[in-house]
């Protein structure tokens, strides 16, 4: 009930709102002097602050409990994957969306199994990986409950030189379209991690694709790249990462990440997302003229929600730690700010490819945990499960809480560096 009321109020605000400043001036005529105890008593002509106006206009509801696109995230360790006692020789990461077929859940992911842990570009060779996702293949696993998984083996191996991805195939996502299955993935033709001066990048790959008549394969690789780099002065010149296919208006929308502008001290470019659209899974994919369409995040994590598309925006950028929404599938707005978001999530969106204009949303998926052994010299990643309530069908108030109390030692684990302490001591003296 209150939700509808809030929507009514916010619709009134939106309809009557000209520019914020003009509106506040016009509000001077309101008779209501103080903000009422109950929102339902608010005089829609009352002078209100931008923060309160934003609460009604920018979000589905001014309270988290009523916001379909706000959620807490709960995490569960998975059973069924062996990591060689964490010695860095096996890594699983960047899980795909999850689909349900033949009564089982399917997930694809970057699987690295090498004689050593990653040793950086300078020490990399045909058998020694440069990065956690170097010398990798796309493997898959199935599950009946989403908690215990059975690894099935390789789906997309590294093809022979000079085919795209001969060095490594990684970070796949799945599309089911007209009863065929398509895996889109990053195709590396050089060890990732070396800074390439000409391209001013260090993780260089376009997107390739393999297809199958069954989720269990066999998979046939296209010999060509399906989403190419941008040209020299275009925002997505350096890399095309994290392909995320969905179906909208009968077309295939592939959201992807690239890195633009100049690098900061931590080698970070401005991670931004684009979308490329095609009528057929093999393309041609046309990059949207409004690209980049997301200003934050790292991996792209999108799913259909109501008539639009929602995004989990984690890790990087001025709007990280948000859930965002684009009613038109292009123009994203912040729908909520949250915490402990899954990294590189592969969501289970049962209607990801239904294209019915009423996406239900998600309640779980898999994500990855990098440096799973907490030892950068034995680097590997592992998969874990997250649960949430970003679903229209589910309403779980226990997943709409704020003020999640994290263990105190987590805060103290983020201690000052010696440099920072030195600067503080200097300031004190
Ligand atoms: C991931 C993704 C891409 C990058 C690397 C592996 O989180 O962004 O796949 O190339 O890191």
């Amino acid at each position: 009930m209150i939700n509808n009321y809030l929507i009514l109020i916010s619709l009134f605000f939106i309809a009557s709102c000209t520019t914020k400043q003009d509106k506040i001036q016009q509000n001077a005529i309101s008779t209501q002097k103080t903000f009422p105890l109950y929102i339902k008593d608010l005089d829609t002509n009352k002078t209100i602050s931008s923060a309160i106006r934003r609460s009604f206009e920018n979000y589905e509801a001014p309270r988290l409990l009523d916001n379909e696109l706000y959620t807490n995230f709960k995490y569960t360790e998975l059973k069924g994957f062996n990591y060689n006692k964490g010695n860095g020789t096996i890594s699983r990461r960047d899980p795909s969306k999850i689909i349900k077929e033949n009564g089982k859940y399917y997930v694809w992911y970057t699987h690295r199994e090498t004689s050593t842990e990653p040793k950086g570009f300078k020490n990399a060779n045909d058998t020694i990986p440069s990065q956690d996702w170097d010398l990798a293949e796309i493997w898959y696993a199935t599950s009946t409950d989403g908690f215990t998984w059975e690894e099935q083996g390789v789906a997309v191996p590294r093809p022979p030189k000079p085919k795209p991805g001969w060095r490594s195939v990684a970070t796949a996502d799945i599309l089911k379209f007209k009863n065929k299955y398509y895996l889109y993935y990053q195709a590396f033709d050089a060890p990732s991690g070396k800074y390439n001066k000409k391209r001013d990048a260090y993780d260089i790959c376009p997107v390739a694709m393999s297809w199958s008549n069954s989720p269990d394969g066999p998979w046939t690789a296209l010999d060509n790249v399906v989403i190419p780099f941008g040209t020299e002065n275009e925002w997505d010149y350096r890399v095309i990462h994290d392909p995320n296919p969905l179906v909208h208006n009968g077309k295939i929308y592939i959201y992807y990440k690239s890195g633009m502008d100049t690098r900061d001290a931590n080698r970070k470019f401005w991670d931004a997302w684009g979308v490329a659209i095609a009528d057929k899974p093999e393309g041609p994919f046309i990059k949207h003229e409004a690209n980049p369409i997301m200003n934050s995040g790292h991996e792209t994590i999108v799913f259909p929600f109501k008539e639009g598309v929602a995004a989990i925006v984690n890790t990087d950028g001025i709007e990280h730690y948000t859930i965002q929404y684009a009613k038109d599938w292009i123009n994203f707005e912040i729908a909520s700010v949250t915490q402990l978001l899954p990294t590189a999530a592969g969501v289970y969106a049962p209607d990801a490819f239904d294209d019915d204009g009423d996406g239900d949303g998600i309640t779980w998926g898999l994500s990855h945990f990098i440096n799973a052994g907490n030892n950068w010299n034995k680097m590997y990643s592992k998969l874990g499960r997250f649960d949430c309530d970003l679903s229209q069908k589910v309403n779980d108030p226990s997943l709409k809480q704020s003020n999640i109390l994290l263990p105190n030692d987590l805060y103290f684990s983020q201690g000052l560096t010696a440099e920072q302490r030195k600067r503080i001591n200097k300031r004190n003296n």
Side-chain angles (χ1 to χ4, degrees):
M1 174 57 194
I2 184 153
N3 204 5
N4 297 335
Y5 210 90
L6 295 178
I7 291 170
L8 191 68
I9 289 179
S10 53
L11 282 176
F12 193 91
F13 269 122
I14 294 165
S16 64
C17 184
T18 50
T19 63
K20 284 194 178 66
Q21 194 47 38
D22 300 348
K23 194 65 200 161
I24 289 173
Q25 293 308 326
Q26 288 166 16
N27 274 347
I29 58 168
S30 168
T31 54
Q32 200 169 41
K33 294 301 171 215
T34 54
F35 202 92
L37 177 60
Y38 296 101
I39 295 173
K40 64 178 178 54
D41 300 336
L42 177 62
D43 170 348
T44 51
N45 280 319
K46 177 172 182 337
T47 300
I48 58 170
S49 66
S50 59
I52 294 301
R53 181 181 300 285
R54 197 166 55 239
S55 305
F56 290 96
E57 289 178 5
N58 294 30
Y59 302 99
E60 184 174 2
R63 296 194 326 161
L64 294 176
L65 275 173
D66 306 314
N67 185 340
E68 292 270 19
L69 283 178
Y70 172 76
T71 186
N72 307 132
F73 294 96
K74 303 282 187 174
Y75 293 90
T76 310
E77 296 271 6
L78 299 181
K79 290 192 174 78
F81 292 118
N82 160 45
Y83 289 97
N84 287 353
K85 297 190 176 65
N87 66 8
T89 57
I90 287 194
S91 184
R92 296 179 184 85
R93 56 177 290 149
D94 291 298
S96 72
K97 280 194 291 294
I98 293 156
I99 63 171
K100 189 159 190 186
E101 298 287 344
N102 319 317
K104 290 181 289 188
Y105 296 112
Y106 283 74
V107 69
W108 290 262
Y109 45 89
T110 305
H111 178 283
R112 174 180 60 78
E113 192 160 359
T114 45
S115 55
T116 71
E117 67 282 3
K119 290 183 177 291
F121 178 79
K122 291 189 176 64
N123 305 307
N125 61 26
D126 289 351
T127 57
I128 297 177
S130 63
Q131 299 275 5
D132 194 24
W133 55 91
D134 186 25
L135 293 175
E137 298 176 314
I138 309 294
W139 282 40
Y140 78 112
T142 58
S143 172
T144 53
D145 64 2
F147 292 96
T148 300
W149 291 83
E150 186 184 344
E151 188 156 65
Q152 300 299 329
V154 65
V156 179
R158 292 160 48 205
K161 263 187 183 178
K163 292 190 177 183
W166 64 266
R167 172 74 193 189
S168 190
V169 284
T171 319
D173 201 9
I174 186 79
L175 164 73
K176 183 178 180 182
F177 191 74
K178 295 183 180 169
N179 271 330
K180 277 191 187 317
Y181 301 85
Y182 302 85
L183 284 171
Y184 295 88
Y185 46 88
Q186 297 175 193
F188 289 89
D189 295 341
S192 172
K194 173 176 179 350
Y195 177 61
N196 176 308
K197 199 161 174 51
K198 178 181 178 307
R199 294 190 69 83
D200 180 21
Y202 53 89
D203 191 20
I204 304 170
C205 55
V207 167
M209 182 266 272
S210 293
W211 65 274
S212 174
N213 290 309
S214 157
D216 292 294
W219 296 86
T220 305
L222 293 191
D223 287 343
N224 57 293
V225 160
V226 291
I227 304 184
F229 301 116
T231 56
E232 187 98 24
N233 287 323
E234 292 182 335
W235 77 279
D236 58 352
Y237 163 69
R238 294 186 179 109
V239 294
I240 305 285
H241 280 172
D242 303 289
N244 244 240
L246 293 174
V247 180
H248 176 52
N249 286 345
K251 295 175 183 293
I252 296 126
Y253 278 53
I254 296 191
Y255 293 85
Y256 65 92
K257 172 190 90 190
S258 194
M260 62 177 177
D261 204 53
T262 53
R263 281 183 297 144
D264 64 22
N266 307 315
R267 290 182 12 143
K268 277 284 177 204
F269 296 109
W270 178 2
D271 285 330
W273 302 6
V275 64
I277 301 168
D279 294 321
K280 295 180 291 183
E282 58 274 15
F285 281 91
I286 310 302
K287 296 178 179 179
H288 197 278
E289 62 179 355
N291 281 351
I293 52 160
M294 185 77 78
N295 64 24
S296 295
H298 191 92
E299 300 83 6
T300 55
I301 305 163
V302 287
F303 55 92
F305 188 78
K306 295 186 178 171
E307 69 267 49
V309 61
I312 298 176
V313 186
N314 197 2
T315 318
D316 292 302
I318 52 174
E319 294 180 349
H320 69 302
Y321 294 172
T322 60
I323 309 287
Q324 303 206 10
Y325 181 64
K327 194 173 172 182
D328 63 0
W329 290 63
I330 301 299
N331 292 292
F332 285 86
E333 301 293 342
I334 295 175
S336 75
V337 180
T338 184
Q339 61 283 317
L340 290 179
L341 292 82
T343 304
V347 299
Y348 174 55
D351 56 9
F353 312 123
D354 291 0
D355 192 15
D356 62 7
D358 185 21
D360 172 61
I362 62 167
T363 58
W364 69 279
L366 301 188
S367 69
H368 74 204
F369 295 81
I370 65 171
N371 194 14
N374 202 23
N375 175 357
W376 290 107
N377 297 319
K378 294 283 181 194
M379 168 63 172
Y380 76 100
S381 305
K382 72 177 185 182
L383 303 175
R385 173 178 165 131
F386 69 88
D387 283 88
C388 64
D389 175 7
L390 292 171
S391 158
Q392 292 190 75
K393 286 196 188 108
V394 170
N395 179 20
D396 180 351
S398 69
L399 284 171
K400 302 277 184 185
Q401 302 302 305
S402 59
N403 193 15
I404 305 293
L405 198 55
L406 300 175
N408 294 348
D409 54 15
L410 177 72
Y411 293 88
F412 295 114
S413 73
Q414 299 299 310
L416 288 168
T417 64
E419 203 54 38
Q420 289 161 340
R421 196 60 190 259
K422 206 167 91 186
R423 171 172 48 76
I424 294 165
N425 292 341
K426 191 167 170 234
R427 197 176 54 207
N428 290 339
N429 303 330

